[in-house]
Amino acid sequence: MCLLYRLDSAARDIAALFDADSGPDPWVPDYVAPGKFAPVVVQGKEGRYLTPRVWGVPPPPKVAAEGGRPVHNVRNLDSPFWTGTLRHTEFRCLVPVTSFMEWGGVRGARTQHWFTVPSEPVFAFAGIWRDSEVPSFAFLTCDPNPMVAAVHDKSMPVILNPWDYGRWLTADWAEARGLVEPFPSQLMAGATAPVRRS
């Protein structure tokens, strides 16, 4: 489960890459961890724009009442808690990323493994957003590709190809669901330290 990523581009540069309005929020390149605000790209009536949201969607009310934590990674796409959000295009978003981390190794000797897409200075996870007490977002996960599975064999974020950004934001769910698949290992690179891009 991915619980840390980096976004090492400023808001203006992110907006240019995603053909979006950068908005008034000045993103400073940094780590993104659960509970932290980060920019996501949403599709409005007048085009795409960046907006800051907290990483972590509040859990269902019953789970929240029992002390459940916010949801950061969405895996069960057939859960009634997610189906309405996923089927309505206005609640989908792109989560800009420069690298993401998965823990590898055994307890007591774990190592951070960072993954990038070398051909894309900033790539995107398939995300969803919700409004509750605070504006929030989460991103989808899927089965890992061989590169990620060698470190973390349970899941990996859904990475979108640039030509699929529009489909994720606007296509009906039957089509958009087809984008939920492992990104090819041969298009990725890995390292045991975060890769920063200027």
Side-chain angles (χ1 to χ4, degrees):
M1 178 167 59
C2 176
L3 290 176
L4 187 66
Y5 68 91
R6 289 197 64 89
L7 182 51
D8 291 317
S9 290
R12 181 179 61 185
D13 299 324
I14 298 166
L17 288 167
F18 288 88
D19 192 24
D21 184 329
S22 61
D25 187 59
W27 170 254
V28 178
D30 202 354
Y31 288 98
V32 182
K36 183 174 179 178
F37 275 92
V40 299
V41 179
V42 298
Q43 181 75 44
K45 292 182 179 177
E46 312 217 343
R48 297 177 189 172
Y49 62 94
L50 262 63
T51 184
R53 290 184 164 272
V54 171
W55 184 16
V57 172
K62 182 178 179 182
V63 176
E66 297 170 355
R69 298 179 180 178
V71 180
H72 305 99
N73 298 179
V74 178
R75 183 68 192 270
N76 183 3
L77 305 185
D78 296 317
S79 166
F81 186 64
W82 299 116
T83 52
T85 300
L86 291 165
R87 288 175 183 166
H88 290 85
T89 57
E90 64 266 32
F91 296 121
R92 295 189 213 141
C93 64
L94 304 172
V95 181
V97 179
T98 51
S99 60
F100 69 94
M101 190 275 290
E102 298 284 4
W103 285 105
V106 297
R107 187 181 297 275
R110 301 200 319 170
T111 305
Q112 289 187 351
H113 292 262
W114 289 85
F115 298 94
T116 61
V117 178
S119 63
E120 301 298 327
V122 180
F123 54 97
F125 295 155
I128 57 95
W129 64 266
R130 280 192 173 169
D131 282 334
S132 51
E133 298 83 9
V134 294
S136 60
F137 77 94
F139 55 76
L140 279 62
T141 62
C142 60
D143 291 336
N145 63 26
M147 175 181 282
V148 176
V151 174
H152 179 73
D153 63 2
K154 298 192 184 311
S155 65
M156 68 175 288
V158 174
I159 300 172
L160 298 170
N161 286 300
W163 54 87
D164 288 325
Y165 294 163
R167 291 174 65 201
W168 177 252
L169 293 173
T170 63
D172 64 47
W173 179 229
E175 180 179 351
R177 184 166 186 157
L179 301 175
V180 180
E181 60 183 10
F183 197 74
S185 291
Q186 64 268 27
L187 300 181
M188 295 176 63
T192 54
V195 179
R196 294 183 176 90
R197 301 194 181 187
S198 55

